[in-house]
Coordinates of all heavy atoms in Angstrom, one line a residue:
G71 N 142.1 144.9 75.9 CA 141.2 145.3 74.9 C 140.1 144.2 74.7 O 140.3 143.1 75.1
T72 N 139.0 144.6 74.1 CA 137.9 143.7 73.9 C 137.5 143.7 72.5 O 137.5 144.8 71.8 CB 136.7 144.2 74.8 OG1 137.1 144.2 76.2 CG2 135.5 143.3 74.7
L73 N 137.1 142.6 72.0 CA 136.7 142.4 70.6 C 135.5 141.4 70.6 O 135.5 140.4 71.3 CB 137.9 141.8 69.8 CG 137.6 141.4 68.4 CD1 137.2 142.6 67.5 CD2 138.8 140.7 67.8
Q74 N 134.5 141.8 69.8 CA 133.4 140.9 69.6 C 133.4 140.4 68.2 O 133.5 141.3 67.3 CB 132.1 141.6 70.0 CG 130.9 140.6 70.1 CD 129.7 141.3 70.7 OE1 129.8 141.9 71.8 NE2 128.5 141.1 70.1
T75 N 133.4 139.1 68.0 CA 133.5 138.6 66.6 C 132.9 137.2 66.5 O 132.4 136.7 67.5 CB 135.0 138.6 66.2 OG1 135.1 138.2 64.8 CG2 135.8 137.6 67.0
R76 N 133.0 136.6 65.4 CA 132.5 135.2 65.2 C 133.8 134.4 65.0 O 134.7 134.8 64.2 CB 131.6 135.1 64.0 CG 130.2 135.8 64.2 CD 129.3 135.4 63.2 NE 127.9 135.8 63.4 CZ 127.1 135.3 64.3 NH1 127.4 134.3 65.0 NH2 125.9 135.8 64.5
V77 N 133.8 133.2 65.6 CA 134.9 132.3 65.5 C 134.6 131.2 64.6 O 133.4 130.6 64.7 CB 135.3 131.8 66.9 CG1 136.4 130.7 66.9 CG2 135.8 133.0 67.8
K78 N 135.5 130.8 63.7 CA 135.2 129.6 62.9 C 135.4 128.4 63.7 O 136.5 128.2 64.3 CB 136.2 129.6 61.7 CG 136.0 130.8 60.7 CD 137.0 130.6 59.6 CE 138.0 131.8 59.6 NZ 139.0 131.7 58.6
T79 N 134.5 127.5 63.6 CA 134.6 126.2 64.3 C 135.1 125.1 63.4 O 135.1 125.3 62.2 CB 133.2 125.8 64.9 OG1 132.3 125.5 63.9 CG2 132.7 126.8 65.9
A80 N 135.5 124.0 63.9 CA 136.0 122.9 63.1 C 134.9 122.3 62.2 O 135.2 121.8 61.1 CB 136.5 121.8 64.0
S81 N 133.6 122.5 62.6 CA 132.5 122.0 61.8 C 132.1 123.1 60.8 O 131.0 123.0 60.2 CB 131.3 121.6 62.6 OG 130.9 122.7 63.4
D82 N 132.9 124.1 60.6 CA 132.7 125.2 59.7 C 131.5 126.1 60.1 O 130.9 126.8 59.2 CB 132.5 124.7 58.2 CG 132.9 125.7 57.2 OD1 133.8 126.5 57.5 OD2 132.3 125.8 56.1
G83 N 131.2 126.1 61.3 CA 130.2 127.0 61.9 C 130.8 128.3 62.3 O 132.0 128.5 62.2
R84 N 130.0 129.3 62.7 CA 130.4 130.6 63.2 C 129.8 130.8 64.6 O 128.6 130.8 64.7 CB 130.0 131.7 62.2 CG 130.6 131.6 60.8 CD 132.1 131.8 60.8 NE 132.7 131.8 59.5 CZ 133.2 130.7 58.9 NH1 133.1 129.6 59.5 NH2 133.7 130.8 57.7
L85 N 130.7 130.9 65.5 CA 130.3 131.1 66.9 C 130.5 132.5 67.4 O 131.6 133.0 67.4 CB 131.1 130.1 67.8 CG 130.8 129.9 69.2 CD1 129.4 129.2 69.3 CD2 131.9 129.0 69.9
P86 N 129.4 133.2 67.8 CA 129.6 134.6 68.3 C 130.4 134.6 69.6 O 130.0 133.8 70.6 CB 128.2 135.1 68.5 CG 127.3 133.9 68.6 CD 128.0 132.8 67.9
C87 N 131.4 135.4 69.7 CA 132.3 135.4 70.9 C 132.7 136.8 71.3 O 132.7 137.7 70.5 CB 133.5 134.5 70.7 SG 133.2 132.8 70.5
K88 N 133.0 136.9 72.6 CA 133.6 138.2 73.1 C 134.9 137.8 73.6 O 135.1 136.8 74.4 CB 132.7 138.8 74.2 CG 133.1 140.2 74.6 CD 132.1 140.8 75.5 CE 132.1 142.3 75.3 NZ 131.0 142.9 76.1
I89 N 135.9 138.6 73.2 CA 137.3 138.3 73.6 C 137.9 139.4 74.4 O 137.8 140.6 73.9 CB 138.1 138.0 72.3 CG1 137.5 136.9 71.5 CG2 139.6 137.7 72.7 CD1 138.0 136.8 70.1
H90 N 138.5 139.1 75.5 CA 139.3 140.1 76.3 C 140.8 139.7 76.2 O 141.1 138.6 76.6 CB 138.8 140.1 77.7 CG 137.4 140.5 77.9 ND1 137.0 141.8 77.9 CD2 136.3 139.8 78.0 CE1 135.7 141.9 78.1 NE2 135.2 140.7 78.1
G91 N 141.6 140.6 75.7 CA 143.0 140.2 75.5 C 143.9 141.3 76.2 O 143.6 142.4 76.3
Q92 N 145.1 140.8 76.5 CA 146.1 141.6 77.1 C 147.5 141.3 76.5 O 147.7 140.1 76.2 CB 146.1 141.4 78.7 CG 147.0 142.4 79.4 CD 146.8 142.3 80.9 OE1 146.1 141.4 81.4 NE2 147.4 143.2 81.7
L93 N 148.3 142.3 76.4 CA 149.6 142.1 75.8 C 150.5 141.4 76.8 O 150.4 141.5 78.0 CB 150.3 143.5 75.5 CG 149.6 144.3 74.5 CD1 150.4 145.6 74.3 CD2 149.4 143.6 73.1
L94 N 151.4 140.6 76.2 CA 152.5 139.9 76.9 C 153.8 140.6 76.5 O 154.1 140.5 75.3 CB 152.6 138.4 76.6 CG 151.4 137.5 77.0 CD1 151.6 136.2 76.4 CD2 151.3 137.5 78.5
D95 N 154.4 141.4 77.4 CA 155.6 142.1 77.0 C 156.8 141.2 77.2 O 156.7 140.2 77.9 CB 155.7 143.4 77.8 CG 155.7 143.2 79.3 OD1 155.2 142.2 79.7 OD2 156.1 144.2 80.0
G96 N 157.9 141.6 76.6 CA 159.1 140.8 76.7 C 159.7 140.9 78.1 O 159.4 141.8 78.9
A97 N 160.4 139.9 78.5 CA 161.0 139.8 79.8 C 162.0 141.0 80.1 O 163.0 141.0 79.5 CB 161.7 138.5 80.0
G98 N 161.5 141.9 80.9 CA 162.4 143.0 81.2 C 162.5 144.1 80.1 O 163.2 145.0 80.3
G99 N 161.8 143.9 79.0 CA 161.9 144.9 78.0 C 160.5 145.3 77.4 O 159.5 144.7 77.7
P100 N 160.5 146.3 76.5 CA 159.3 146.8 76.0 C 158.8 146.0 74.7 O 157.7 146.3 74.2 CB 159.6 148.2 75.6 CG 161.1 148.2 75.2 CD 161.7 147.1 76.2
E101 N 159.6 145.0 74.3 CA 159.1 144.3 73.0 C 157.9 143.4 73.3 O 157.8 142.9 74.4 CB 160.3 143.5 72.4 CG 160.8 142.4 73.2 CD 161.8 142.7 74.3 OE1 162.2 143.9 74.5 OE2 162.1 141.8 75.1
L102 N 157.1 143.3 72.3 CA 155.9 142.5 72.4 C 156.2 141.0 72.2 O 156.8 140.6 71.3 CB 154.9 143.0 71.3 CG 153.6 142.2 71.2 CD1 152.7 142.4 72.4 CD2 152.9 142.6 70.0
R103 N 155.7 140.2 73.2 CA 155.8 138.8 73.0 C 154.6 138.2 72.5 O 154.6 137.1 71.9 CB 156.1 138.1 74.4 CG 157.5 138.2 74.9 CD 157.8 137.4 76.1 NE 156.8 136.5 76.6 CZ 156.4 136.5 77.9 NH1 156.9 137.2 78.8 NH2 155.4 135.7 78.2
G104 N 153.5 138.8 72.6 CA 152.2 138.3 72.1 C 151.1 138.8 73.0 O 151.1 139.8 73.6
T105 N 150.0 138.0 72.9 CA 148.8 138.4 73.7 C 148.2 137.1 74.4 O 148.4 136.0 73.9 CB 147.7 139.0 72.9 OG1 147.4 138.1 71.7 CG2 148.0 140.4 72.3
T106 N 147.6 137.3 75.5 CA 146.9 136.3 76.2 C 145.4 136.7 76.2 O 145.1 137.9 76.4 CB 147.4 136.0 77.6 OG1 146.6 134.9 78.1 CG2 147.3 137.1 78.5
S107 N 144.5 135.8 75.9 CA 143.1 136.2 75.8 C 142.2 135.2 76.4 O 142.4 134.0 76.4 CB 142.7 136.4 74.3 OG 143.5 137.4 73.7
I108 N 141.0 135.7 76.8 CA 139.9 134.9 77.3 C 138.8 135.1 76.3 O 138.5 136.2 76.0 CB 139.5 135.3 78.7 CG1 140.6 135.1 79.7 CG2 138.2 134.6 79.1 CD1 140.3 135.7 81.1
I109 N 138.2 134.0 75.9 CA 137.2 134.0 74.8 C 135.9 133.4 75.4 O 136.0 132.3 75.9 CB 137.7 133.4 73.5 CG1 136.6 133.5 72.4 CG2 138.1 132.0 73.8 CD1 137.2 133.1 71.1
R110 N 134.8 134.1 75.3 CA 133.5 133.6 75.8 C 132.5 133.5 74.7 O 132.3 134.4 73.9 CB 133.0 134.5 76.9 CG 131.7 134.1 77.5 CD 131.3 134.9 78.7 NE 132.2 134.5 79.8 CZ 132.4 135.1 80.9 NH1 131.8 136.3 81.1 NH2 133.1 134.6 81.8
D111 N 131.8 132.3 74.6 CA 130.7 132.1 73.7 C 129.6 133.0 74.2 O 129.1 132.8 75.3 CB 130.4 130.6 73.7 CG 129.2 130.3 72.9 OD1 128.5 131.2 72.3 OD2 128.9 129.1 72.8

Side-chain angles (χ1 to χ4, degrees):
T72 302
L73 173 64
Q74 192 166 312
T75 189
R76 292 191 172 284
V77 173
K78 294 182 246 179
T79 64
S81 62
D82 207 30
R84 298 291 183 269
L85 188 66
C87 293
K88 191 170 205 172
I89 303 166
H90 297 278
Q92 188 169 7
L93 297 180
L94 295 172
D95 56 340
E101 67 277 357
L102 173 68
R103 282 190 3 230
T105 53
T106 182
S107 299
I108 297 173
I109 183 170
R110 177 170 287 164
D111 176 355

